[in-house]
Structures are given as C-alpha cells and as structure tokens.
C-alpha cells in the first residue's frame, strides 16, 4: 500500500492508495497527483482516513471514469462510508480526460438524494448530485437498489450488494495489515 502522508498515529487523517483490488492499482503519477491535490480530497483526508481508488474510462470495460473514496475507521477496521464519483456518460462533458475529471470533483451537495446509485449514474435530470462533469452517490453495502427491484431484477440487486460487501471486506483486510 502506498501512503501519501501519515502523522504519528495511523488513524489521524491520511490519504491511502491501496494496491488491492487491482482496479486502478496501476494508475499514473499524474492521476495520483491529481487526486492528492484535489481540494475536496485534500480537506477530507486531513480529518478522515481515506482509501482512494480510481478506474479510468476504458479500463476493465468501464464506460466512464470512476473515483471511489472510502472513509475508513482503523480502530474498528470498517468502512464508514463510500463516496462514488463517476464521469458523465451523457451530457455536456462526456469525453472529459481523467485528470480534468479529478480536478472537477468537489464536496457533494447536501440535497436530498434517492437511494439508487445506478439510477443516479444513468439518469440526467433527477440527480441533485450531478454536475456536467460527474455523478455522485454514497454507496452503502447491503442496501437494496430500488430501480433493480422495481424491474424485478432481484438477482442483479443481490449481486450488486454482494459485490459491495466483498469490497468493504477487502478494505477491512487491508486495514488489518496496519492494525
């Protein structure tokens, strides 16, 4: 695991670039610098421990850039919340470069949001956390996806919950290495 900065205690606010999962483990120093220098990410990592993962458009079949910021708690070995930013598939700036996308990330709005991450990702006008550059959603493990359930896609809903639970468990495994 690569660490941007660590104070005297491991859980006093730092930005981490975990090498697991392999998604985003090989991003360039330019991408890493853009994440480190983003004002929102920088302010977040001063008060919280943050795992930052980035998957560029085109890698692993991704149709958009994806930045995942996991707020973690080393003392409890758990993920407190996961913030997902995905570049716009449609809209004003759909072909944004990875660095430009990362430079546009800002603190999410406090508007009331719907529960469905995928609905926010794919719809254009009902997402209060959507800008012309990205969509944002807080993703919670073990939470039902309303859109999938309304369409009778229970298997897909369960698969998404299971995938998020595995990612949260992976975060816990990484934290154990430093506990």
């Amino acid at each position: 695991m690569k660490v941007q900065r660590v104070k005297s205690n491991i859980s006093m606010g730092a930005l981490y670039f975990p090498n697991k999962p392999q998604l985003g483990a090989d991003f360039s120093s330019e991408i890493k610098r853009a994440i480190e220098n983003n004002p929102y990410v920088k302010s977040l990592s001063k008060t919280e421990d943050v795992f930052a993962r980035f998957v560029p458009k085109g890698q692993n079949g991704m149709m958009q850039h994806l930045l995942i910021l996991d707020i973690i708690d080393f003392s409890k070995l758990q993920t407190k919340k996961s913030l997902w930013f995905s570049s716009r598939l449609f809209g004003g700036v759909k072909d944004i470069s990875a660095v430009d996308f990362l430079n546009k990330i800002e603190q999410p709005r406090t508007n009331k949001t719907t529960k469905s991450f995928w609905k926010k990702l794919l719809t254009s006008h009902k997402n209060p956390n959507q800008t012309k550059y990205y969509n944002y959603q807080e993703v919670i493990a073990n939470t039902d996806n309303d859109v999938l359930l309304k369409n009778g896609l229970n298997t897909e809903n369960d698969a998404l919950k299971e995938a998020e639970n595995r990612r949260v468990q992976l975060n816990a495994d990484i934290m154990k290495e430093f506990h």
Side-chain angles (χ1 to χ4, degrees):
M1 174 181 289
K2 301 171 191 167
V3 180
Q4 178 205 350
R5 73 177 171 81
V6 177
K7 296 182 181 178
S8 59
N9 183 324
I10 192 79
S11 58
M12 290 186 62
L15 179 64
Y16 301 88
F17 294 91
N19 286 329
K20 303 172 196 170
Q22 290 305 309
L23 290 178
D26 57 351
F27 52 79
S28 70
S29 59
E30 182 183 36
I31 298 285
K32 183 179 174 191
R33 210 170 19 260
I35 295 171
E36 290 173 347
N37 294 328
N38 177 281
Y40 172 62
V41 176
K42 192 182 284 190
S43 69
L44 188 62
S45 64
K46 284 182 182 175
T47 59
E48 300 278 3
D49 289 312
V50 180
F51 282 171
R53 294 185 176 97
F54 179 75
V55 185
K57 181 167 38 175
Q59 183 176 319
N60 300 313
M62 290 293 292
M63 295 175 61
Q64 67 275 343
H65 304 299
L66 179 66
L67 173 66
I68 304 172
L69 301 175
D70 288 318
I71 312 299
I72 57 173
D73 183 344
F74 274 104
S75 64
K76 296 180 182 176
L77 299 178
Q78 70 181 18
T79 302
K80 297 196 293 192
K81 60 181 168 178
S82 297
L83 314 176
W84 290 52
F85 297 86
S86 61
S87 62
R88 293 285 306 274
L89 285 170
F90 312 104
V93 188
K94 64 181 178 183
D95 293 324
I96 191 168
S97 74
V99 172
D100 287 341
F101 163 72
L102 292 167
N103 289 337
K104 298 295 183 186
I105 301 297
E106 60 188 27
Q107 183 164 352
R109 299 179 182 123
T110 56
N111 300 4
K112 185 175 172 28
T113 61
T114 60
K115 292 180 183 178
S116 171
F117 170 68
W118 297 104
K119 184 175 181 181
K120 288 175 172 290
L121 183 69
L122 298 172
T123 59
S124 61
H125 62 283
K126 294 187 178 180
N127 180 355
N129 287 307
Q130 183 180 65
T131 73
K132 65 181 183 175
Y133 305 103
Y134 64 83
N135 291 298
Y136 161 79
Q137 177 62 32
E138 183 177 329
V139 177
I140 303 167
N142 244 343
T143 301
D144 284 328
N145 184 303
D146 298 345
V147 173
L148 293 177
L149 292 177
K150 283 180 187 174
N151 290 305
L153 300 172
N154 295 8
T155 304
E156 289 79 357
N157 179 68
D158 291 342
L160 284 175
K161 287 197 302 188
E162 178 61 29
E164 183 60 14
N165 282 328
R166 279 195 308 258
R167 204 179 62 74
V168 166
Q169 182 57 51
L170 181 60
N171 283 349
D173 293 343
I174 293 169
M175 284 182 265
K176 285 178 190 173
E177 293 176 23
F178 291 94
H179 199 273

